[in-house]
Amino acid sequence: MQQEYGILYVVATPIGNLGDISERARRILAEVDCIAAEDTRETKRLLAHLGISTPLLAYHEHNERAAAERLLETLAEGRSIALVSDAGTPLISDPGYPLVSAARARGIRVVPVPGPSALICALSASGLPSDRFLFLGFPPRTETQRRAWFDGVKDEPGTLILYESPKRAVATLADLEAVLGDGRRLVLARELTKRFETFLTGSPSALRERLRDDPEQQLGELVMLIEGRREAASADSAEALRVLAILAEALPLAQAAALTARITGGRKNALYRLGLEQGLGR
Ligand code: SAM
């Protein structure tokens, strides 16, 4: 029964640099019976670059459920489909979830063909902790909703990752600062894999100023990464910082952090980072 179905491939495509298409993605896109694309014009450009002429079908958020049904029928006829989005990995802040979940529910084989995704690309080069992270997608558009949204993740210890339009970044940074404070390290990863790729690091207020002063930074595509809640903050952070500041007057920061950890019960590495951010290192 299962063999009668075609295969649904979930294919990642480049997020800016066409050189990032994988050999396997190229082969699958050429071999499948049809490609379900978020924006057929966008995908046509990629296919033209690759010299591929596989037929295209529109699959975007406005027709997701109806299109999913049609694609499931195509799969039921034994034909194979590659699902792609405009850029990056389908389903990651992009259409595809109803199709993939329905295909799995019907026992259809779903095969991922991995490749670029802006969030992983940004995290991998951000310099923020990557052992634990929370991807949040796009923030809500209104200030009230955005603040409530940030409030819901303020205690998350992992790095927070979100997608945002650079045009809205100044407003989002203001709400972020209002809810999470100005003490966290942030990274703005813009135009990844493209000519004007930029990584900016700083506090919410410093980055807001930087964006205001340089309108170029408000163009293109952006991933925002926010340091998670610091472990030192869970022990009495004000007290830990006070002890650290006193000890750092007389000792190298690493030693001051180690002693502060013993005195306050905080974590040595987190205290060391905190000390660096507060300019206590010497
Ligand atoms: N599915 C895609 C992925 O796997 O990354 C994301 C699609 S989502 C609709 C588009 C958002 O991803 C952009 O608004 C931006 O936040 C982020 N993004 C995509 N390409 C990017 C790039 N080259 N540089 C920075 N951010 C990018």
Side-chain angles (χ1 to χ4, degrees):
M1 177 77 178
Q2 201 168 319
Q3 279 83 338
E4 289 171 16
Y5 284 118
I7 297 175
L8 173 62
Y9 295 95
V10 182
V11 181
T13 56
I15 57 169
N17 187 328
L18 292 179
D20 290 336
I21 189 86
S22 74
E23 272 307 309
R24 186 165 167 237
R26 187 192 285 261
R27 181 172 55 75
I28 301 279
L29 291 175
E31 284 177 3
V32 287
D33 294 299
C34 77
I35 298 173
E38 187 188 0
D39 178 342
T40 51
R41 282 165 314 173
E42 193 70 40
T43 301
K44 254 184 207 151
R45 274 195 281 276
L46 173 69
L47 296 185
H49 170 80
L50 300 173
I52 291 172
S53 53
T54 306
L56 287 166
L57 269 172
Y59 180 84
H60 46 72
E61 59 184 347
H62 307 297
N63 75 348
E64 259 201 286
R65 297 207 175 260
E69 272 313 313
R70 277 208 311 280
L71 293 172
L72 290 165
E73 282 164 22
T74 304
L75 290 161
E77 288 161 10
R79 294 196 284 155
S80 57
I81 295 172
L83 173 68
V84 300
S85 54
D86 289 354
T89 302
L91 279 83
I92 307 301
S93 290
D94 264 338
Y97 170 69
L99 175 63
V100 170
S101 60
R104 282 234 170 259
R106 291 180 199 192
I108 296 171
R109 204 171 147 209
V110 183
V111 175
V113 181
S117 188
L119 79 104
I120 298 296
C121 178
L123 179 65
S124 68
S126 69
L128 290 178
S130 53
D131 54 339
R132 171 172 173 154
F133 62 88
L134 181 63
F135 175 59
L136 299 166
F138 285 95
R141 294 283 180 93
T142 70
E143 179 186 302
T144 315
Q145 287 174 332
R146 254 194 323 258
R147 290 189 180 200
W149 189 77
F150 280 125
D151 194 61
V153 293
K154 66 177 188 301
D155 291 329
E156 166 61 38
T159 297
L160 302 170
I161 307 176
L162 52 113
Y163 287 164
E164 183 56 299
S165 154
K167 291 189 178 64
R168 282 188 286 276
V170 170
T172 299
L173 286 169
D175 294 333
L176 189 160
E177 183 183 342
V179 179
L180 305 180
D182 201 28
R184 299 200 191 194
R185 265 188 309 160
L186 249 66
V187 176
L188 302 183
R190 202 178 59 87
E191 293 292 88
L192 292 162
T193 76
K194 303 187 207 175
R195 183 156 169 228
F196 296 109
E197 180 179 273
T198 324
F199 281 82
L200 296 178
T201 305
S203 66
S205 62
L207 289 175
R208 208 147 38 96
E209 223 166 280
R210 178 74 206 270
L211 260 54
R212 278 219 197 92
D213 291 349
D214 184 359
E216 287 280 305
Q217 295 298 330
Q218 296 186 41
L219 301 173
E221 295 188 287
L222 177 72
V223 182
M224 202 178 272
L225 304 101
I226 307 156
E227 181 183 28
R229 185 185 60 112
R230 285 196 212 100
E231 291 146 84
S234 60
D236 187 341
S237 68
E239 176 62 5
L241 185 57
R242 195 181 70 80
V243 173
L244 183 65
I246 294 169
L247 293 176
E249 282 177 16
L251 297 169
L253 184 58
Q255 230 176 318
L259 281 175
T260 307
R262 284 174 60 192
I263 294 165
T264 64
R267 293 273 302 270
K268 190 173 69 181
N269 290 345
L271 287 161
Y272 181 74
R273 276 206 303 271
L274 186 63
L276 284 181
E277 282 159 25
Q278 300 291 326
L280 300 178
R282 55 189 71 238

